[in-house]
Amino acid sequence: MRTRTFTLSLLLCITFLNAQESILGFTRENAKKQKTLETAFEAKLDASNLDEWMQIMAAEPHWVGTEYGEKNAKWIQKQFKSWGYDAKIETYHVLFPYPKVRLLELKGPTSYKAKLTAVPVEGDEFTAQGDALLPSYNAFSTDGDVEAELVFVNYGIPSDYEVLDKLGIDVKGKIVIAKYQGSWRGIKPKLAAENGAIGCIIYSDPADDGYGRGDVYPKGAYKNKTGVQRGSVMDMPTYPGDVLTPGYGATKDAKRLDRKDAPTITKIPVLPISYEDAQPLLAALDGAVAPQSWRGGLPITYHIGPGPAKVHLKLEFDWQLKPAHNVIATIKGTDFPDQWVMRGNHHDAWVHGANDPISGMVALMEEARAVGELAKKGNKPKRTLVYCAWDAEEPGLIGSTEWVEDHKKELQQKVVAYINTDGNGRGFLGAGGSHSLQAMVGEVAGTVKDPQRGVSIKERRIAVDMVRGGTEDFELYALGSGSDYTPFIQHAGIASLNLGFGGENGGGEYHTIYDTYPHYKRFKDPEFAYGVALANTAGRITLRLANADMLPFEFKQWHKTVSGYLDGIMKQTEKMRKEVEKHNTMVDKNMFELAADPKKPFLKPKKKEAIPYLDFTPLQNELAALKISIEMLSKMDVSKVSKEKRNSLNKKLIQAEHLLTSEDGLPRRSWYKHQIYAPGFYTGYGVKTLPGVREAVEEKNWKEAQEQISKLAATLKNFDKHIQEMNGML
Amino acid sequence: MRTRTFTLSLLLCITFLNAQESILGFTRENAKKQKTLETAFEAKLDASNLDEWMQIMAAEPHWVGTEYGEKNAKWIQKQFKSWGYDAKIETYHVLFPYPKVRLLELKGPTSYKAKLTAVPVEGDEFTAQGDALLPSYNAFSTDGDVEAELVFVNYGIPSDYEVLDKLGIDVKGKIVIAKYQGSWRGIKPKLAAENGAIGCIIYSDPADDGYGRGDVYPKGAYKNKTGVQRGSVMDMPTYPGDVLTPGYGATKDAKRLDRKDAPTITKIPVLPISYEDAQPLLAALDGAVAPQSWRGGLPITYHIGPGPAKVHLKLEFDWQLKPAHNVIATIKGTDFPDQWVMRGNHHDAWVHGANDPISGMVALMEEARAVGELAKKGNKPKRTLVYCAWDAEEPGLIGSTEWVEDHKKELQQKVVAYINTDGNGRGFLGAGGSHSLQAMVGEVAGTVKDPQRGVSIKERRIAVDMVRGGTEDFELYALGSGSDYTPFIQHAGIASLNLGFGGENGGGEYHTIYDTYPHYKRFKDPEFAYGVALANTAGRITLRLANADMLPFEFKQWHKTVSGYLDGIMKQTEKMRKEVEKHNTMVDKNMFELAADPKKPFLKPKKKEAIPYLDFTPLQNELAALKISIEMLSKMDVSKVSKEKRNSLNKKLIQAEHLLTSEDGLPRRSWYKHQIYAPGFYTGYGVKTLPGVREAVEEKNWKEAQEQISKLAATLKNFDKHIQEMNGML
């Protein structure tokens, strides 16, 4: 195959030519150079750096506003400078609550005072730092002092409240206790408050996150009975970032909301607890026995209540503005200095954060160090590279969000793509992001070796998908939320990726005092082999985006994916229609009542509103039109495109993702502009694709669904116009 | 509709005419009489009798061979006599082991001696009878004294051993500990022994049968930490009944096998324990963490082992012949004394057996009392009624099996159908049996009122099926094993039914010292309303079979059901083929290894033998032919059939079920003659339909599968001939 005539038809086309020879977006000649560069890059990666740096950065707790956090930021800046980067610290001033009072008592029928403290364990000195450790709490819980009967609400997600409704159990005026998991944690107090509860307790059930998963720390990696997951409960699906400065940077002199007007602070007090503290509370409940699927791993019968368990929850926070120090390090591009390829990982942690985020941070730094060394030796990138270490990610993606809001216009003009990482472990590549980048990421994944099995990380990813019943296609997952890509893709409309390894590094240390260096070394990625693999993967992606002749966006896979989303919504609507029809027939025939045990609580279900037929044709037609435009674009012979035209095309490609946004954003949350991906309003981190339409359907808001179909169709039409303009330039 | 011309076309036809007017198998005139009779019958049923009799029969433990068991038999006989029956006791002499030595110790790394005793509870004096209670054990465990490392095998069923194989864990020379459930208990020691284990412990996990299901006794109905399920582990899928007299009656002078040659005694010692006793043993295991689906409700991480837990298990039994007293009570039929309609329920229990079996026994007796009273007043049945109270059901369906074996020839000539009941509770009708009786049972179920909801029990059954995702058809389930219908249907080829109510009477008392009158009154059927409903349902069925002009067998529903079984096997074979193909491709591509965690035990799966295409056409052709014959039979206008011909047809109908058997029985278990229904060789109680073919397919014995297809086709051909002969008689 080496002798056949080279064309650039591979560009923007999913049918790769001989992968040995070609790289998406590169001329054959430049592909060769790029391969040499990537080989040199990989050779420079050194696992011992990751190990050493983790020991430095995770030595002490370093949440936003701490001395150690600032020390880390300055140290990171210094490192970047030493590698030849122009590195600065950009600081924002963001509201951050520190827990002053945390009180949880069972007042009846038995009494118990929650300990709220995880124990130090043998062999891990970091867990014995006592008062230096951040007390366990949920950031952006409101202050509160409430006493009421307790109700167990399973995971506290919408389907759980439907079950409670059927059982005739109301949480109004009660304090709910919900298990962690099933949704992002912030959904639990949000829904509890919407349903009238006055307080919310969240605990880690041992079936989900404790001895039910594996041996507990320190014998094994999993959560012992005293471990507590910290975490933000800010209403991030409305907007993330500083609660007082929605949509703009929290600079020193920025205009701020009054705290009482901040819409993303919870409406009710919320506190996370351990399963040791949860057991006496749950054991004191009576009333209906929880449905089978609600029951956890504690050695008790799970009851729902309400009561007789009565609890007192008192929370007070010290609400202060704290400095969030983002480190921004740049190497200017030789050919296209105003085209930026961005990489980022946060540096703040809830406690020591060896895994979250330092394992990702050290991989980013090692990648940057190798890239910097290559640049020093003359292999400077054609486009500008920007490496970022974000602060205040944990309380609500605050550092990155404020920075993106502050620099939004410039970023939208200049950024080719943002590549995010976060905590990293042993196992399989997990890659999510803009599907226009799927082909490129798949190609890169084919070049990176799995440290354990010797095959490519792509082959291992596909193997595990196949074993789990999936297909042989390499696919990016769609981005919801949960890390710093959110302001880039969902707010600014910048093509983004999120990368990490995992699946063989299970544990219960997440956001606890047990996320330490010894825990990481024993259970996560002991040789930092996957840390190096992450640096290798993200570095190759970064370098390809930096040096490509034609930016490696590919839209046929994008189209297939988006068409699949629409298909899914249409099928879901039909399924809902059939379910409602069956439900209503069964209500008419009194089947639910006849099937119910007369000795158990039962409310006869009501008939549901019939599902109307939505007109999806505007979307079908726009996708059909897009298919033609994309087919045409994919067929272009780029070798016949002049360098000048290529540069113009690249500028259009940089803009493409932005065309998928709408300036007025999603209903009731205008901060979220992207029309293809958003975190779910009632899932939190979990993604909703085609969110305007999908969430309206799920909420059975048919008027809005039809409006959102029109709106999305208009967005797709604009996107099609953009693609057609590119076709016209050829 | 009252004026339209009556025809007998409803006979043997699923399209019922106006159900208000007609009864399957009756002329219009006789249908009216029958309705009057059934109304009079129902009016005589009195719940207070059931309550009173339960208090008598469940006052003391009464397993086979006990004084109280004999007292109950004599008392039952006396009752029947007082109601006008010819009642006798037929006694067999059967081997029954009583536990002399029960020792279970954890010898290392920690030590623990199992208590093996359930505690008395407040409010239930019956649980405080101390030594009068039968110690917890598994009957027909062999004697043994073994010490070895422990291995946790989940439910100890075939799929669990496949998982162990994949993990490279061998039970050879070990003692296994298995959870109750997932199969009939006798499968667990059988499979353990086949896999080389030298001992077997079975325990009730609290997730399946304890606090994970609901509040425990005495607060609630479920199993407390000390409760132990007794039960037989005789190899009943090979043959039930007395282990020393396979296939013939265990009369006083019968020739008996040597105990050491008895094939249905277990090969290794086996002991059931409580979850309190199981916890220290399981907690002492290490090695691989059990797969997610294996983990139970104890507050520990479940490991598989082997070891380091080491246990010592010592069991000795007193093996004696005991008298099993069956009570047989008869009312002779006026018109057809040699056509018998049989009813049965066992009277022996493991301990007090308030629920199992007395709740069913008292319903049978109340039914018999009412029928007897009607007979005394001149409403004698046209056919002979035989009511049976079986002894020694618990250790292995022994009383009924010996009786059937002893009287087999006569029964095969005379018995129209056998209707079984056993423990009964609150909720929904569960009806299983010969599908030629499905139409009739559905008709009867439409006439019996649900005590709680006021609609018919048929409507309530369908409602609960619909709510669980089923259809609107009333269907009999297929009979596997687990009660006294087995010798009738599966050995003698007599059409049979099994009836009972349940679904709203959950608890953990089964085969424990907690199955007492107070428990029954609190949690099962407090007013005996469902006991009366059972008497009403079974009584109407009995009376219809006794008085029908044409026996109400209906074959169109039978044909649809059996065709569904074949369809299921064919689909399963195709599914297996696709799975093997996918599996082999994945082995070729090394996918399993690439997807596996290198730090966890993993054996690379082997390629599997490809699934051949089986020739199912002989069965398809026979079923097609049968469809035509059955259609024709269903169209006959019985009003044009003379009484003489009707009597001849009835004789043919009585023989029909027997035509579905084969004298040489199923492979490796010739006692089981029925070709449509059998308990599974590796499920125990769980049914296998078309068992010869299905089990060969499941075991991938393709030669046998093809042979069994031919054999079953021949059986169906004979059955078709029988139907055609009936058609020819018209």
Side-chain angles (χ1 to χ4, degrees):
Chain A
M1 297 292 279
R2 292 183 65 92
T3 57
R4 92 180 172 67
T5 311
F6 176 68
T7 74
L8 278 176
S9 70
L10 56 104
L11 270 180
L12 304 165
C13 162
I14 57 162
T15 341
F16 302 132
L17 302 179
N18 188 330
Q20 304 302 310
E21 303 301 324
S22 68
I23 301 180
L24 192 65
F26 286 79
T27 63
R28 167 170 282 216
E29 200 187 335
N30 285 337
K32 267 190 191 167
K33 284 185 196 161
Q34 180 70 12
K35 274 170 202 282
T36 309
L37 177 73
E38 288 179 20
T39 306
F41 163 74
E42 182 175 338
K44 289 193 183 303
L45 301 174
D46 180 353
S48 68
N49 284 333
L50 283 72
D51 195 332
E52 185 192 320
W53 298 339
M54 179 180 282
Q55 291 182 63
I56 293 167
M57 286 192 279
E60 291 183 28
H62 51 102
W63 63 92
V64 61
T66 55
E67 253 180 60
Y68 205 77
E70 185 170 349
K71 203 169 152 188
N72 273 343
K74 286 180 176 161
W75 180 83
I76 294 167
Q77 181 191 25
K78 201 178 110 197
Q79 300 300 309
F80 271 102
K81 282 187 172 169
S82 75
W83 304 328
Y85 287 77
D86 176 18
K88 57 188 172 180
I89 291 182
E90 291 193 48
T91 300
Y92 295 89
H93 302 272
V94 305
L95 190 69
F96 181 77
Y98 182 91
K100 277 193 310 194
V101 176
R102 300 177 310 145
L103 176 70
L104 174 63
E105 301 169 297
L106 179 64
K107 305 286 279 188
T110 48
S111 72
Y112 177 77
K113 189 176 170 187
K115 297 174 184 164
L116 308 180
T117 304
V119 296
V121 301
E122 216 176 318
D124 188 342
E125 56 183 332
F126 297 95
T127 62
Q129 292 175 346
D131 286 349
L133 307 170
L134 182 66
S136 48
Y137 77 116
N138 286 135
F140 298 101
S141 162
T142 186
D143 291 345
D145 185 354
V146 291
E147 185 166 326
E149 280 190 321
L150 193 66
V151 183
F152 173 56
V153 297
N154 194 28
Y155 293 113
I157 57 179
S159 54
D160 297 325
Y161 285 94
E162 284 170 25
V163 171
L164 291 172
D165 265 0
K166 279 184 195 164
L167 295 171
I169 296 170
D170 194 350
V171 304
K172 204 165 178 178
K174 313 292 184 196
I175 295 174
V176 304
I177 180 164
K179 296 188 284 190
Y180 261 116
Q181 304 192 10
S183 75
W184 171 64
R185 76 183 78 74
I187 297 304
K188 300 165 199 285
K190 173 168 158 173
L191 262 172
E194 284 182 9
N195 283 279
I198 61 170
C200 177
I201 300 160
I202 312 179
Y203 82 101
S204 303
D205 192 280
D208 298 323
D209 189 9
Y211 52 70
R213 306 290 300 178
D215 291 315
V216 303
Y217 202 54
K219 184 188 177 196
Y222 291 90
K223 192 171 259 102
N224 66 39
K225 64 184 180 180
T226 70
V228 185
Q229 181 190 139
R230 288 151 191 75
S232 177
V233 287
M234 162 195 301
D235 188 11
M236 278 191 267
T238 295
Y239 62 85
D242 180 42
V243 301
L244 303 180
T245 60
Y248 54 94
T251 53
K252 198 151 198 164
D253 307 319
K255 198 179 162 187
R256 286 178 163 76
L257 297 180
D258 220 62
R259 177 155 62 85
K260 68 173 171 25
D261 300 326
T264 55
I265 296 174
T266 68
K267 306 292 176 274
I268 57 175
V270 49
L271 183 71
I273 64 173
S274 67
Y275 54 87
E276 181 182 37
D277 277 341
Q279 184 166 335
L281 276 53
L282 291 167
L285 283 172
D286 214 327
V289 171
Q292 189 67 49
S293 64
W294 287 29
R295 300 173 202 169
L298 292 168
I300 57 167
T301 301
Y302 285 68
H303 289 263
I304 297 178
K310 199 171 185 180
V311 296
H312 174 212
L313 173 64
K314 187 176 178 187
L315 298 175
E316 274 177 35
F317 301 94
D318 188 12
W319 298 89
Q320 290 197 17
L321 290 190
K322 295 282 181 184
H325 305 294
N326 297 322
V327 186
I328 312 290
T330 308
I331 290 182
K332 195 166 267 186
T334 51
D335 297 20
F336 310 103
D338 283 344
Q339 294 181 5
W340 299 0
V341 179
M342 292 196 64
R343 273 283 281 122
N345 196 103
H346 70 101
H347 69 76
D348 69 305
W350 277 123
V351 195
H352 305 88
N355 180 33
D356 179 10
I358 298 305
S359 62
M361 191 68 226
V362 295
L364 176 143
M365 288 172 70
E366 181 59 4
E367 170 195 333
R369 188 192 62 77
V371 167
E373 278 199 26
L374 288 169
K376 279 184 188 171
K377 288 181 184 158
N379 276 306
K380 288 206 169 163
K382 291 183 181 165
R383 297 186 177 82
T384 294
L385 302 184
V386 184
Y387 282 87
C388 311
W390 308 114
D391 201 351
E393 188 265 4
E394 293 297 3
L397 319 179
I398 300 177
S400 58
T401 298
E402 296 313 309
W403 192 83
V404 169
E405 288 175 349
D406 201 23
H407 298 280
K408 188 171 158 191
K409 281 222 164 134
E410 184 179 16
L411 298 175
Q412 286 175 332
Q413 292 303 316
K414 295 182 176 171
V415 182
V416 173
Y418 171 72
I419 302 141
N420 191 70
T421 52
D422 202 327
N424 190 60
R426 196 167 62 88
F428 311 100
L429 174 66
S434 304
H435 286 84
S436 50
L437 293 171
Q438 182 170 288
M440 183 268 287
V441 175
E443 204 181 70
V444 169
T447 70
V448 175
K449 216 177 242 184
D450 179 82
Q452 296 177 116
R453 294 290 188 190
V455 299
S456 76
I457 57 173
K458 183 181 179 183
E459 285 171 89
R460 236 193 140 206
R461 171 78 258 168
I462 288 170
V464 77
D465 286 347
M466 291 279 286
V467 167
R468 290 171 187 169
T471 69
E472 277 197 86
D473 296 328
F474 178 86
E475 288 173 345
L476 297 181
Y477 62 83
L479 293 178
S481 190
S483 197
D484 294 303
Y485 51 79
T486 275
F488 285 91
I489 185 165
Q490 286 141 359
H491 185 61
I494 291 165
S496 298
L497 291 172
N498 189 45
L499 304 172
F501 289 88
E504 297 175 339
N505 57 336
E509 82 294 339
Y510 176 70
H511 291 191
T512 73
I513 67 164
Y514 305 121
D515 184 5
T516 59
Y517 178 73
H519 189 286
Y520 194 85
K521 286 287 283 185
R522 282 180 64 200
F523 303 115
K524 298 289 167 181
D525 181 21
E527 280 89 39
F528 290 86
Y530 282 92
V532 169
L534 181 61
N536 193 2
T537 309
R540 283 171 186 261
I541 290 172
T542 301
L543 291 171
R544 287 191 187 188
L545 287 166
N547 295 332
D549 299 302
M550 183 78 90
L551 287 170
F553 290 97
E554 191 285 322
F555 297 99
K556 281 172 85 171
Q557 292 195 35
W558 176 92
H559 187 274
K560 187 182 167 197
T561 305
V562 173
S563 300
Y565 296 154
L566 176 59
D567 195 44
I569 294 176
M570 289 169 67
K571 281 187 179 140
Q572 190 189 346
T573 312
E574 279 313 296
K575 196 174 154 226
M576 285 167 75
R577 184 191 326 288
K578 281 186 187 125
E579 281 169 1
V580 165
E581 282 166 3
K582 189 181 173 196
H583 173 89
N584 287 350
T585 305
M586 288 174 67
V587 171
D588 280 342
K589 292 188 176 175
N590 205 26
M591 293 261 180
F592 293 106
E593 195 166 356
L594 295 183
D597 185 340
K599 295 203 177 175
K600 288 185 178 169
F602 173 77
L603 284 188
K604 192 178 165 173
K606 293 198 182 95
K607 282 178 83 166
K608 294 178 181 171
E609 193 197 340
I611 310 289
Y613 286 87
L614 290 175
D615 179 8
F616 288 105
T617 55
L619 294 174
Q620 292 173 305
N621 285 324
E622 288 308 332
L623 282 169
L626 259 166
K627 188 167 191 187
I628 295 167
S629 311
I630 287 169
E631 281 283 352
M632 189 180 295
L633 187 65
S634 75
K635 275 177 190 145
M636 76 165 167
D637 183 349
V638 182
S639 63
K640 291 177 187 157
V641 181
S642 68
K643 193 169 176 182
E644 194 175 43
K645 273 192 182 168
R646 218 154 61 194
N647 292 345
S648 305
L649 277 168
N650 278 339
K651 280 178 192 160
K652 295 289 277 186
L653 286 168
I654 290 174
Q655 293 307 309
E657 191 81 15
H658 188 62
L659 269 287
L660 296 170
T661 65
S662 150
E663 193 40 43
D664 53 349
L666 296 176
R668 293 166 297 283
R669 43 182 184 145
S670 61
W671 190 91
Y672 285 93
K673 313 290 187 195
H674 210 288
Q675 299 295 299
I676 310 293
Y677 318 109
F681 195 71
Y682 285 116
T683 56
Y685 284 177
V687 68
K688 296 288 172 183
T689 54
L690 315 187
V693 180
R694 188 183 298 273
E695 291 196 324
V697 167
E698 287 176 355
E699 297 295 319
K700 301 188 179 177
N701 186 341
W702 307 117
K703 186 164 163 288
E704 184 170 298
Q706 201 64 62
E707 286 164 7
Q708 290 292 317
I709 287 172
S710 303
K711 188 175 168 184
L712 178 57
T715 302
L716 292 177
K717 194 183 200 74
N718 251 339
F719 187 64
D720 186 24
K721 194 166 145 260
H722 194 75
I723 303 277
Q724 285 183 28
E725 283 166 9
M726 284 196 268
N727 284 329
M729 287 162 70
L730 293 164
Chain B
M1 296 290 279
R2 294 182 65 91
T3 58
R4 88 183 175 65
T5 311
F6 177 67
T7 73
L8 278 175
S9 71
L10 56 104
L11 271 178
L12 304 165
C13 164
I14 57 162
T15 337
F16 302 131
L17 300 179
N18 187 330
Q20 304 300 311
E21 304 300 325
S22 67
I23 302 179
L24 193 62
F26 286 79
T27 62
R28 169 171 279 218
E29 200 186 334
N30 285 338
K32 267 190 190 167
K33 286 186 195 159
Q34 180 72 11
K35 274 172 201 284
T36 309
L37 177 73
E38 289 179 19
T39 305
F41 163 74
E42 182 174 338
K44 290 193 182 304
L45 301 174
D46 180 352
S48 68
N49 283 334
L50 283 73
D51 195 331
E52 183 191 321
W53 298 340
M54 178 179 282
Q55 291 183 63
I56 293 167
M57 287 192 278
E60 291 184 28
H62 52 103
W63 64 91
V64 61
T66 54
E67 252 179 61
Y68 204 78
E70 185 170 350
K71 203 170 151 186
N72 273 342
K74 286 181 178 162
W75 180 82
I76 293 165
Q77 180 190 26
K78 201 180 108 197
Q79 300 300 310
F80 271 101
K81 282 187 172 169
S82 75
W83 305 327
Y85 287 76
D86 177 17
K88 58 188 172 178
I89 291 181
E90 293 193 46
T91 300
Y92 295 89
H93 301 272
V94 304
L95 190 68
F96 180 77
Y98 182 92
K100 278 194 309 195
V101 175
R102 299 178 309 145
L103 177 70
L104 174 64
E105 302 169 297
L106 179 64
K107 305 285 279 189
T110 47
S111 72
Y112 177 77
K113 189 175 171 190
K115 296 173 186 166
L116 308 181
T117 305
V119 295
V121 300
E122 214 176 321
D124 188 341
E125 57 183 333
F126 296 95
T127 63
Q129 292 175 344
D131 287 349
L133 307 170
L134 182 66
S136 48
Y137 77 116
N138 286 134
F140 298 101
S141 162
T142 186
D143 291 347
D145 185 354
V146 292
E147 184 167 327
E149 280 189 324
L150 193 65
V151 183
F152 173 56
V153 296
N154 193 30
Y155 293 115
I157 58 179
S159 55
D160 296 325
Y161 285 94
E162 283 171 25
V163 171
L164 290 172
D165 265 1
K166 279 184 195 163
L167 295 170
I169 297 170
D170 194 350
V171 303
K172 204 166 178 178
K174 314 293 185 196
I175 295 174
V176 304
I177 180 164
K179 296 188 284 190
Y180 260 117
Q181 304 194 9
S183 75
W184 172 63
R185 77 183 78 74
I187 298 303
K188 300 165 199 284
K190 174 169 157 173
L191 261 172
E194 283 181 8
N195 282 278
I198 60 170
C200 177
I201 300 160
I202 311 179
Y203 82 101
S204 303
D205 193 280
D208 298 324
D209 190 8
Y211 51 70
R213 305 290 300 176
D215 291 315
V216 303
Y217 202 52
K219 184 188 176 194
Y222 291 89
K223 192 170 259 102
N224 66 38
K225 65 184 180 180
T226 70
V228 185
Q229 180 190 140
R230 288 149 191 76
S232 176
V233 287
M234 165 196 298
D235 188 11
M236 277 191 266
T238 295
Y239 62 86
D242 180 42
V243 301
L244 303 180
T245 60
Y248 53 95
T251 53
K252 197 150 198 163
D253 307 319
K255 199 181 160 186
R256 286 178 164 76
L257 298 179
D258 220 61
R259 177 155 62 84
K260 67 172 172 26
D261 299 327
T264 55
I265 296 174
T266 67
K267 304 293 174 272
I268 57 175
V270 48
L271 183 72
I273 64 173
S274 67
Y275 54 88
E276 181 183 37
D277 277 341
Q279 184 166 335
L281 276 54
L282 291 167
L285 284 172
D286 214 327
V289 171
Q292 188 68 49
S293 63
W294 286 31
R295 300 173 203 169
L298 291 168
I300 58 167
T301 301
Y302 285 68
H303 289 264
I304 297 178
K310 199 172 186 180
V311 296
H312 175 212
L313 173 65
K314 187 176 178 188
L315 298 175
E316 274 176 36
F317 301 94
D318 188 13
W319 298 89
Q320 289 196 18
L321 290 190
K322 295 282 180 185
H325 306 294
N326 297 322
V327 186
I328 312 290
T330 309
I331 290 182
K332 197 167 266 185
T334 52
D335 297 21
F336 310 102
D338 283 343
Q339 294 181 6
W340 299 0
V341 179
M342 292 196 63
R343 272 284 279 124
N345 196 103
H346 69 100
H347 68 77
D348 69 305
W350 277 123
V351 195
H352 305 89
N355 180 34
D356 178 10
I358 298 306
S359 62
M361 191 68 225
V362 294
L364 176 142
M365 288 173 70
E366 180 60 3
E367 169 194 335
R369 188 192 62 78
V371 166
E373 277 199 28
L374 288 169
K376 278 184 188 171
K377 289 180 184 158
N379 277 305
K380 287 205 170 162
K382 291 182 181 165
R383 297 185 177 84
T384 293
L385 301 184
V386 185
Y387 281 88
C388 312
W390 308 114
D391 201 351
E393 189 265 3
E394 292 298 1
L397 320 178
I398 299 177
S400 58
T401 298
E402 297 314 308
W403 191 84
V404 169
E405 287 174 349
D406 200 24
H407 299 279
K408 188 170 159 190
K409 281 222 164 133
E410 184 180 16
L411 297 175
Q412 286 175 334
Q413 292 303 315
K414 294 183 177 172
V415 181
V416 173
Y418 171 72
I419 302 140
N420 190 70
T421 51
D422 202 329
N424 191 60
R426 195 167 61 88
F428 311 99
L429 174 67
S434 305
H435 286 84
S436 51
L437 292 171
Q438 182 170 287
M440 184 269 288
V441 175
E443 204 180 69
V444 169
T447 70
V448 175
K449 216 177 242 185
D450 179 82
Q452 297 177 116
R453 294 289 188 190
V455 299
S456 76
I457 57 173
K458 182 181 179 181
E459 284 171 89
R460 232 190 145 208
R461 170 79 259 169
I462 288 170
V464 77
D465 286 348
M466 291 278 287
V467 167
R468 290 170 186 168
T471 69
E472 278 197 85
D473 296 328
F474 177 87
E475 289 173 344
L476 296 181
Y477 62 83
L479 293 178
S481 188
S483 197
D484 295 303
Y485 51 78
T486 275
F488 285 91
I489 185 165
Q490 286 141 358
H491 185 61
I494 291 165
S496 298
L497 292 172
N498 188 46
L499 305 171
F501 289 88
E504 297 175 339
N505 57 337
E509 82 294 340
Y510 176 71
H511 291 190
T512 73
I513 67 164
Y514 305 121
D515 184 5
T516 59
Y517 178 74
H519 190 286
Y520 194 85
K521 285 287 283 184
R522 284 180 62 199
F523 303 115
K524 299 290 168 180
D525 181 20
E527 279 89 39
F528 291 87
Y530 281 92
V532 168
L534 182 60
N536 193 2
T537 309
R540 284 172 185 260
I541 290 172
T542 301
L543 291 172
R544 288 192 186 186
L545 289 166
N547 295 331
D549 298 302
M550 182 77 90
L551 287 170
F553 290 97
E554 192 285 322
F555 297 100
K556 282 171 84 171
Q557 292 195 35
W558 175 92
H559 187 273
K560 188 182 166 197
T561 305
V562 173
S563 301
Y565 297 154
L566 175 60
D567 195 45
I569 294 176
M570 289 169 65
K571 281 190 178 138
Q572 190 189 347
T573 312
E574 278 315 296
K575 195 174 156 224
M576 285 167 76
R577 184 193 325 290
K578 280 187 188 125
E579 281 169 0
V580 165
E581 282 167 3
K582 188 180 174 197
H583 174 90
N584 287 350
T585 305
M586 288 175 65
V587 171
D588 280 342
K589 292 188 175 174
N590 205 26
M591 292 261 181
F592 293 105
E593 195 167 355
L594 295 182
D597 185 339
K599 296 202 176 175
K600 289 185 177 167
F602 173 78
L603 284 188
K604 192 179 165 174
K606 294 198 182 95
K607 282 178 84 167
K608 293 178 181 169
E609 193 198 339
I611 310 289
Y613 287 87
L614 289 175
D615 179 8
F616 288 105
T617 54
L619 294 174
Q620 291 173 303
N621 285 323
E622 289 307 333
L623 282 170
L626 259 166
K627 189 168 188 183
I628 294 166
S629 311
I630 287 169
E631 282 282 353
M632 189 180 295
L633 187 64
S634 75
K635 276 178 189 143
M636 76 165 167
D637 183 347
V638 183
S639 62
K640 291 178 185 155
V641 182
S642 68
K643 194 169 177 182
E644 193 176 45
K645 274 192 181 168
R646 218 156 60 193
N647 291 346
S648 306
L649 276 169
N650 278 339
K651 281 179 191 159
K652 295 290 277 186
L653 286 167
I654 290 174
Q655 293 307 309
E657 190 82 14
H658 188 63
L659 270 287
L660 296 170
T661 65
S662 150
E663 194 39 45
D664 53 350
L666 295 176
R668 293 167 296 284
R669 43 182 185 144
S670 61
W671 189 91
Y672 285 93
K673 313 290 187 195
H674 210 288
Q675 299 295 299
I676 309 293
Y677 318 109
F681 194 71
Y682 284 115
T683 56
Y685 283 177
V687 68
K688 296 288 173 183
T689 54
L690 315 187
V693 180
R694 188 184 298 273
E695 292 195 325
V697 166
E698 287 176 354
E699 298 295 320
K700 300 187 178 177
N701 186 340
W702 308 116
K703 187 165 164 287
E704 184 171 297
Q706 200 64 63
E707 287 163 7
Q708 290 293 319
I709 287 172
S710 302
K711 188 175 166 185
L712 178 58
T715 302
L716 293 177
K717 194 182 199 72
N718 253 340
F719 186 65
D720 186 25
K721 195 167 146 261
H722 194 75
I723 303 277
Q724 285 183 29
E725 283 165 10
M726 284 196 267
N727 284 328
M729 287 162 70
L730 293 164

